[in-house]
Amino acid sequence: MEDTSSKAQEAPATFITLEEHEPPGCSSRELILERARAACSCSPRSLRRLLPVLEWLPRYSPRTQLLGDVVSGLLVGIVAIPQSISYSLLANQDPIYGIYTNFFCNIIYAATATSRHASVGSFGVLCLMVGQSVTRHLQLAGYGDSGAALGDNSSSPRNGTEACDRSCYAITVALSLSFLVGLYQVLLGLLQMGFVAVYLSEPLLGGFVTGSSLTIITSQMKYLLGLKIPRHEGVGSFILTWVDLFRHIHTTNICDLLTSLVALAIIVPVKELNERYKERMKAPFPIELLVVIVATVVSHYFDFEQRYQAAVCGDIPTGFRKPTVPDSSLFPSLALDALPIAVIGFAMTVSLAEIFGKKHGYAVSANQEMIAIGMCNLIPSFFYCFASSAALTKTLLKESTGSQTQVSGLVTSLVLLLVLLWISPLFYSLQTSILGVVTIVNLRGGLSKFRDTPRMWQLSKLDTVVWWATMLCSTLVTTEIGLLVGVCFSLLCIIFRTQRPRATLLGKVSNREIYEDQATYKQLSSIANVKIFRFECSLYYANKDYFRAALYQKTGVNPVLLLATSHPGPGATTDTGSSRGSGDGFGCLKQARRRAEKPPARPPCRDMHTLILDCGAMQFIDTAGLSVLKETHHDYLGVGVQVLLANCNPSIRRRLREGGWAGLAGAGGQLPFHSIHDAVQFAERCHRGESKDAQAALPDPGDVNLQVSL
């Protein structure tokens, strides 16, 4: 320590003047126009950016990649067949539309995506949200019971519009909704707004998926029991559905119940075995498709529909329907419903794409993924498809079975094409209870998150609160409100963390120019009469009062209170920053500031001569934060304590210079120091009587260049 002091006495203060770059003069309007021109450009580079298939397809190697893509595409297509039909129940649509959705989405995504492993199509959570919107519009249009069986188009509107039956109106609503969802996503992608996905944190998405899974299970229970109860929507639909289930439990269809139990007893153990031995198996056993085929055959030959009144899929047509145009008259009523669906759709797609992109070492563009999934909703809305996104189950299967590129998605579409052209009528006798079982079994991943909450609580209590709040609101209120509550709660947690951040005093590591938290580490030495205060957050309007309170508490010196007690004036009290004789309650503070402009002959503070503020953790300072720093400087100067700033980043230095910090009167107000050690050395020189020389060595505060002390 003595060697360091002697060197400090001998070495004069030196300064480096750094000239800043000129800031780019680009307005927001010019930036938007530039991005719009780039998006609308027809150059080969822009075309390859919008259609990444033109980039990777010419380099495709059939010898090394084709086998893995074909095997993966076949297996995903086999799994997609029962899922396409079962998820149509969630979307309140006929089974054929689920097959259409998965067929078209895989083709479009293969051409527009940057991810090689994400698998798109019907996703349970989105299907639930689509079904809720469709059911609400069916009720508003005056159609019959929303609990009618699939394929039953006898329900007619009670408002006199006979041109479209219930099934026709349901798909009309779904097409318009899908069009708006795709439009939102494409526009966000073109405007380079992919960063929006970062606001949907992992705890938020996990809680939302789990809450939606509970809602989906509740909606499928009536199919497992063979009950004909209405589909509830809105606030409290979860509880109302269970009330109806118990109220009508005596009307359970025994055939549907037994079929459901047998299917569960077969599918669940095999799925668990697939999961446990997935590393040893080349491909998971397609138990869902096998159960669907066997159940269809048994139901057909034993005539479950006529003998036991079991609900079946009914007629599923073959081929494609003529393209149609979404009903624009529904856009105003669907505009708000489409927003959360668009957000969840691109968030799941971008998340899965980035996860597997990092795992396999290739780059994924979040903005292009948003455009890709937007096109998967926009274009298919003309071909009788509802909203879709990347699906976790199929993506995991696709990646684990050797997929190399999106050629596997084209193979999946070929499998679904066979179903559309020839196989679909064979599913006429398939019981809807089997479809409900398939849907519920595929929600195991969302429900397994409950087991992770204790570990999450140990890591972060705030993240756990976000998870539970989102999950409960998504389940007990509505999925849309649950998503909104989750986003708001996440933002509130961020505000809470930044409003009361950690504040510490620093000590010096022995014989090193390193300063660390005294409350965390042992054997740190204090600098005589020098306090080093670190505020581990940006300084802005929400935490400025906490900054001042923490500073006074940690340093043990309240300059306002010290001035008030040393030189009490009329109406002054010992209360910090208040005065009984002042109408505005700031008489003492104003009086202290007036005295701070002219320091007393004998400074009231004898325990500290320098306060160093470590700004290394501050990313920004707003006008309120700058005012607090200037007030802190004046208040401490009034009690004989100089205030120095250290570790400021360039943006904070610029804000300090523009805010007049460099021109503050008194010691230490001229410039921020490059490091804490520089500030400590400067303070020690000033205290040893070298303050005049040190002040003379300071550069001109009016210099426009950045001044850094060394």
Side-chain angles (χ1 to χ4, degrees):
M1 188 70 184
E2 294 178 358
D3 295 337
T4 305
S5 300
S6 61
K7 291 179 181 179
Q9 292 178 2
E10 297 173 0
T14 59
F15 298 90
I16 295 177
T17 300
L18 303 177
E19 185 176 358
E20 295 180 353
H21 289 290
E22 290 293 331
C26 183
S27 64
S28 300
R29 181 174 178 272
E30 293 175 349
L31 182 61
I32 294 175
L33 290 176
E34 180 181 351
R35 290 182 176 180
R37 283 193 295 266
C40 298
S41 175
C42 295
S43 64
R45 183 179 179 182
S46 300
L47 193 59
R48 286 195 300 269
R49 187 171 62 247
L50 291 176
L51 294 174
V53 65
L54 301 177
E55 187 80 23
W56 59 264
L57 190 58
R59 301 196 302 266
Y60 187 79
S61 175
R63 178 177 299 178
T64 59
Q65 296 176 317
L66 184 59
L67 180 60
D69 285 337
V70 171
V71 173
S72 177
L74 287 174
L75 292 172
V76 174
I78 290 172
V79 172
I81 294 172
Q83 286 190 7
S84 301
I85 301 174
S86 62
Y87 283 166
S88 298
L89 292 175
L90 288 176
N92 209 355
Q93 303 296 327
D94 291 340
I96 189 65
Y97 301 129
I99 303 175
Y100 284 160
T101 300
N102 285 270
F103 171 76
F104 284 105
C105 287
N106 279 281
I107 297 176
I108 297 172
Y109 191 75
T112 57
T114 58
S115 173
R116 304 174 191 171
H117 296 89
S119 178
V120 298
S122 52
F123 178 51
V125 175
L126 291 193
C127 291
L128 173 68
M129 300 172 75
V130 170
Q132 290 173 343
S133 181
V134 169
T135 301
R136 184 163 56 252
H137 281 78
L138 286 173
Q139 294 172 351
L140 291 175
Y143 282 86
D145 182 16
S146 62
L150 287 172
D152 180 10
N153 296 330
S154 59
S155 299
S156 58
R158 295 190 295 270
N159 58 2
T161 58
E162 301 291 343
C164 189
D165 58 24
R166 182 181 181 279
S167 174
C168 169
Y169 191 75
I171 189 59
T172 301
V173 174
L175 296 183
S176 302
L177 185 63
S178 178
F179 180 86
L180 289 177
V181 169
L183 184 63
Y184 289 162
Q185 292 170 336
V186 170
L187 289 177
L188 289 174
L190 292 176
L191 294 176
Q192 308 291 300
M193 301 291 286
F195 67 88
V196 176
V198 303
Y199 290 98
L200 301 179
S201 63
E202 184 176 348
L204 186 152
L205 287 176
F208 179 77
V209 170
T210 303
S212 300
S213 298
L214 292 174
T215 304
I216 292 172
I217 291 174
T218 300
S219 68
Q220 297 301 293
M221 288 302 297
K222 66 179 182 180
Y223 298 111
L224 272 65
L225 299 174
L227 300 179
K228 296 186 182 300
I229 60 175
R231 181 168 179 168
H232 295 283
E233 303 298 336
V235 179
S237 60
F238 178 83
I239 297 176
L240 292 175
T241 302
W242 279 105
V243 169
D244 277 352
L245 287 172
F246 284 107
R247 184 182 299 169
H248 296 86
I249 195 71
H250 62 280
T251 63
T252 298
N253 188 299
I254 302 301
C255 179
D256 284 333
L257 177 60
L258 292 177
T259 304
S260 302
L261 294 176
V262 171
L264 283 171
I266 296 174
I267 295 177
V268 172
V270 176
K271 296 278 282 188
E272 291 295 332
L273 291 174
N274 283 340
E275 184 69 23
R276 179 172 299 181
Y277 299 105
K278 61 182 178 181
E279 295 182 357
R280 300 183 184 179
M281 303 171 63
K282 294 184 178 179
F285 186 75
I287 185 61
E288 296 161 302
L289 182 63
L290 180 62
V291 168
V292 166
I293 294 174
V294 173
T296 303
V297 172
V298 172
S299 175
H300 173 74
Y301 282 102
F302 286 91
D303 199 8
F304 285 171
E305 182 182 14
Q306 297 298 327
R307 284 188 179 184
Y308 307 108
Q309 290 73 47
V312 298
C313 288
D315 183 40
I316 303 179
T318 58
F320 294 93
R321 301 182 61 177
K322 293 181 180 180
T324 185
V325 178
D327 189 355
S328 59
S329 64
L330 294 172
F331 288 171
S333 60
L334 291 172
L336 193 59
D337 292 346
L339 187 59
I341 298 176
V343 171
I344 290 297
F346 83 72
M348 294 301 299
T349 304
V350 171
S351 300
L352 289 175
E354 290 181 344
I355 288 172
F356 290 100
K358 291 178 182 178
K359 181 177 180 179
H360 292 273
Y362 61 88
V364 170
S365 171
N367 293 310
Q368 182 58 33
E369 287 298 312
M370 191 181 299
I371 295 175
I373 196 60
M375 298 300 289
C376 289
N377 288 314
L378 189 66
I379 297 177
S381 66
F382 296 90
F383 298 94
Y384 296 91
C385 304
F386 47 82
S388 61
S389 72
L392 177 60
T393 304
K394 289 183 288 188
T395 301
L396 290 173
L397 175 61
K398 183 176 181 178
E399 187 266 345
S400 63
T401 51
S403 174
Q404 300 291 320
T405 66
Q406 284 298 337
V407 169
S408 60
L410 300 178
V411 176
T412 299
S413 293
L414 288 177
V415 175
L416 294 172
L417 181 62
L418 295 176
V419 177
L420 286 170
L421 296 180
W422 295 292
I423 303 175
S424 58
L426 301 179
F427 292 106
Y428 178 93
S429 299
L430 176 61
Q431 292 173 262
T432 56
S433 59
I434 298 296
L435 299 178
V437 170
V438 172
T439 301
I440 290 176
V441 169
N442 282 286
L443 299 175
R444 295 177 306 121
L447 298 180
S448 65
K449 297 295 183 181
F450 280 106
R451 294 180 299 185
D452 300 336
T453 52
R455 176 64 176 166
M456 190 189 305
W457 178 262
Q458 294 177 354
L459 296 176
S460 175
K461 293 178 174 58
L462 285 179
D463 285 346
T464 309
V465 171
V466 170
W467 190 92
W468 277 100
T470 308
M471 188 275 295
L472 291 175
C473 288
S474 299
T475 304
L476 301 178
V477 189
T478 63
T479 51
E480 294 85 357
I481 294 179
L483 178 62
L484 180 62
V485 168
V487 172
C488 295
F489 220 86
S490 296
L491 295 178
L492 286 176
C493 288
I494 295 174
I495 294 174
F496 178 77
R497 284 168 171 164
T498 59
Q499 191 172 1
R500 299 184 67 84
R502 197 163 180 268
T504 61
L505 284 182
L506 305 184
K508 184 179 180 181
V509 179
S510 300
N511 301 322
R512 302 292 296 274
E513 298 179 2
I514 300 174
Y515 299 82
E516 281 294 348
D517 178 15
Q518 292 181 343
T520 303
Y521 300 101
K522 300 178 181 179
Q523 300 176 347
L524 296 179
S525 60
S526 300
I527 311 299
N529 301 114
V530 176
K531 300 288 186 181
I532 307 173
F533 178 76
R534 173 186 289 169
F535 194 66
E536 298 184 354
C537 183
S538 299
L539 184 58
Y540 67 112
Y541 68 93
N543 60 19
K544 61 182 179 63
D545 293 329
Y546 179 75
F547 168 83
R548 191 171 4 221
L551 177 62
Y552 295 166
Q553 189 266 331
K554 293 292 182 180
T555 59
V557 177
N558 186 333
V560 179
L561 182 61
L562 194 58
L563 278 175
T565 55
S566 301
H567 303 279
T573 68
T574 58
D575 187 19
T576 303
S578 62
S579 174
R580 296 178 184 174
S582 175
D584 58 3
F586 292 95
C588 178
L589 183 59
K590 292 180 179 179
Q591 187 178 14
R593 289 176 184 165
R594 285 197 297 270
R595 288 194 176 93
E597 297 175 359
K598 185 178 181 180
R602 296 182 62 187
C605 181
R606 301 177 183 272
D607 300 328
M608 179 174 63
H609 61 71
T610 302
L611 171 64
I612 300 175
L613 301 180
D614 179 14
C615 304
M618 296 183 184
Q619 297 179 355
F620 68 90
I621 297 179
D622 67 354
T623 54
L626 181 61
S627 298
V628 168
L629 284 181
K630 295 171 74 173
E631 291 171 5
T632 300
H633 171 267
H634 281 295
D635 292 342
Y636 275 99
L637 186 63
V639 295
V641 176
Q642 66 176 345
V643 179
L644 308 178
L645 304 184
N647 284 340
C648 297
N649 63 45
S651 63
I652 291 182
R653 293 194 193 104
R654 187 180 302 111
R655 175 58 62 90
L656 292 172
R657 187 176 65 245
E658 294 173 352
W661 177 270
L664 290 176
Q670 286 82 356
L671 76 166
F673 287 83
H674 185 69
S675 68
I676 298 176
H677 191 66
D678 295 334
V680 170
Q681 287 184 318
F682 180 83
E684 290 177 340
R685 284 195 298 270
C686 290
H687 186 60
R688 286 194 302 266
E690 304 173 15
S691 57
K692 292 183 179 180
D693 296 336
Q695 292 293 333
L698 293 175
D700 182 10
D703 191 351
V704 297
N705 295 332
L706 177 64
Q707 300 152 354
V708 182
S709 65
L710 294 176

